[in-house]
């Protein structure tokens, strides 16, 4: 396995759930971190947890649906890091509903956060990724990006679109030595999943779900692969335990 120690990583959705756990695991590997999210208090808490583990930790409050904020933040990252080795897109939102009744405004909101934001952020940071010499971009997708169940049409459509963005981007930048990884987790114990259980009127049972640590582990393993290989797509599901 290759070492990623002292590499520079930018992580969206770092204030919660899967993004937070990936940040902790990257810090444990000695990676310099730039944590992004809207909730600055939560970002500070995450930064506090990783402070001892890595030499550089930065955090930036950003609403990824605002283009101007992405532009300003890219300039800021350029000044601080100079180049980026790892970009993790974990920020995401979900709303449920049948096509007959789900407000179309909810669709716009999910599209903006789940597709447009990672697209525009990648575009803005590509010059810094190119300076790495061997950069890696990870898109946290979803099992809904592979198969759409009932009531998740809007969210699943955004995650299918995100897959297309990643697949096309991979073909564009692989020749430059940039690896692109999509991961498609099933239900994962996180604040988002707790909200989904609530919306479904079910009792939240995090213990039967994937854990954010499971998702983070496969992401870190993929990032540490030697440069001769590229993991393109990872499907990961909760282990079904039957009595
Ligand atoms: N949990 C699951 O079951 C599951 C399964 C498959 C895929 N996923 C995907 O995994 C990713 C992470 O989800 P999670 O479960 O970790 O959810 P989470 O705990 O709710 O975290 C979502 C993150 O997205 C950030 N975010 C949302 N909107 C944003 C915006 N406009 N600007 C900046 N940041 C924004 C949030 O930051 P702030 O709150 O600080 O704004 C938060 O850090 C998502 O892409 C999700 O679709 C989750």
């Amino acid at each position: 396995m290759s070492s990623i120690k002292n590499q520079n990583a930018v992580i969206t959705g770092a204030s919660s759930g899967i993004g937070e756990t990936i940040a902790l695991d990257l810090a444990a590997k000695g990676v310099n971190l730039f944590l992004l999210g809207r909730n600055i208090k939560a970002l500070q808490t995450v930064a506090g947890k990783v402070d001892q583990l890595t030499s550089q930790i930065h955090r930036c409050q950003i609403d990824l649906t605002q283009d101007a904020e992405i532009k300003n933040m890219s300039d800021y990252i350029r000044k601080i890091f100079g180049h980026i080795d790892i970009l993790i897109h974990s920020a995401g939102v979900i709303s449920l509903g049948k096509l007959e009744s789900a407000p179309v405004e909810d669709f716009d909101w999910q599209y903006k956060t789940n597709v447009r934001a990672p697209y525009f952020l990648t575009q803005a940071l590509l010059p810094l990724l190119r300076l790495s010499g061997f950069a890696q971009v990870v898109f946290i997708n979803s099992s809904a990006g592979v198969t759409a169940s009932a009531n998740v049409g809007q969210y699943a459509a955004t995650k299918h679109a995100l897959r297309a963005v990643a697949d096309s981007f991979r073909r564009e930048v692989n020749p430059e030595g940039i690896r692109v990884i999509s991961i498609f987790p099933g239900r994962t114990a996180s604040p988002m999943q707790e909200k989904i259980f609530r919306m479904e009127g079910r009792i939240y049972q995090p213990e039967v779900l994937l854990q954010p640590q499971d998702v983070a582990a496969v992401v870190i393993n993929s990032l540490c692969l030697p440069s001769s290989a590229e993991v393109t797509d990872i499907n990961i599901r909760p282990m079904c335990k039957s009595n």
Side-chain angles (χ1 to χ4, degrees):
M1 299 299 260
S2 302
S3 171
I4 51 175
K5 192 172 165 54
N6 293 324
Q7 290 198 356
N8 296 335
V10 174
I11 308 170
T12 75
S15 54
S16 177
I18 293 170
E20 172 183 353
T21 307
I22 292 173
L24 296 179
D25 283 9
L26 286 174
K29 293 264 181 201
V31 173
N32 304 318
L33 299 181
F34 212 109
L35 309 177
L36 305 182
R38 287 170 306 186
N39 184 337
I40 196 69
K41 261 189 142 181
L43 283 179
Q44 272 159 359
T45 305
V46 178
K49 288 185 198 169
V50 300
D51 210 13
Q52 308 298 318
L53 300 170
T54 178
S55 50
Q56 273 197 66
I57 164 101
H58 308 276
R59 55 194 175 274
C60 188
Q61 185 176 35
I62 182 170
D63 181 346
L64 291 165
T65 63
Q66 302 302 312
D67 292 356
E69 293 191 25
I70 288 187
K71 277 189 190 138
N72 291 339
M73 197 264 313
S74 306
D75 291 342
Y76 184 46
I77 293 176
R78 180 179 290 111
K79 277 189 202 129
I80 303 263
F81 269 172
H83 76 276
I84 298 168
D85 303 292
I86 298 169
L87 171 59
I88 311 272
H89 294 286
S90 189
V93 290
I94 186 169
S95 75
L96 305 183
K98 293 185 196 304
L99 185 147
E100 68 175 350
S101 53
V104 75
E105 292 77 14
D106 286 4
F107 201 178
D108 295 338
W109 169 63
Q110 290 169 90
Y111 165 75
K112 267 189 146 180
T113 313
N114 298 350
V115 187
R116 195 178 185 283
Y119 185 96
F120 187 49
L121 183 63
T122 306
Q123 194 175 67
L125 296 181
L126 188 52
L128 301 189
L129 289 161
R130 286 199 165 111
L131 293 175
S132 158
F134 186 70
Q136 312 197 63
V137 180
V138 178
F139 293 92
I140 308 297
N141 202 300
S142 166
S143 56
V146 181
T147 311
S149 321
N151 300 321
V152 292
Q154 295 182 348
Y155 175 76
T158 67
K159 291 297 191 178
H160 275 69
L162 184 63
R163 178 181 204 157
V165 167
D167 286 349
S168 175
F169 181 55
R170 181 180 303 109
R171 285 165 192 261
E172 288 162 11
V173 296
N174 265 183
E176 300 176 50
I178 299 177
R179 290 201 294 213
V180 179
I181 303 158
S182 284
I183 176 157
F184 302 87
R187 288 180 184 249
T188 307
S190 76
M192 175 186 280
Q193 196 53 240
E194 194 170 357
K195 179 182 145 196
I196 294 170
F197 269 69
R198 215 171 29 245
M199 289 188 290
E200 293 172 336
R202 299 164 63 200
I203 294 166
Y204 184 50
Q205 287 184 290
E207 65 281 3
V208 302
L209 305 177
L210 269 176
Q211 300 303 305
Q213 291 79 4
D214 302 328
V215 179
V218 289
V219 168
I220 305 294
N221 266 335
S222 305
L223 291 172
C224 292
L225 268 184
S227 59
S228 51
E230 177 185 47
V231 171
T232 58
D233 303 274
I234 303 167
N235 290 288
I236 178 167
R237 300 279 180 276
M239 179 68 185
C240 215
K241 293 181 199 129
S242 56
N243 295 322

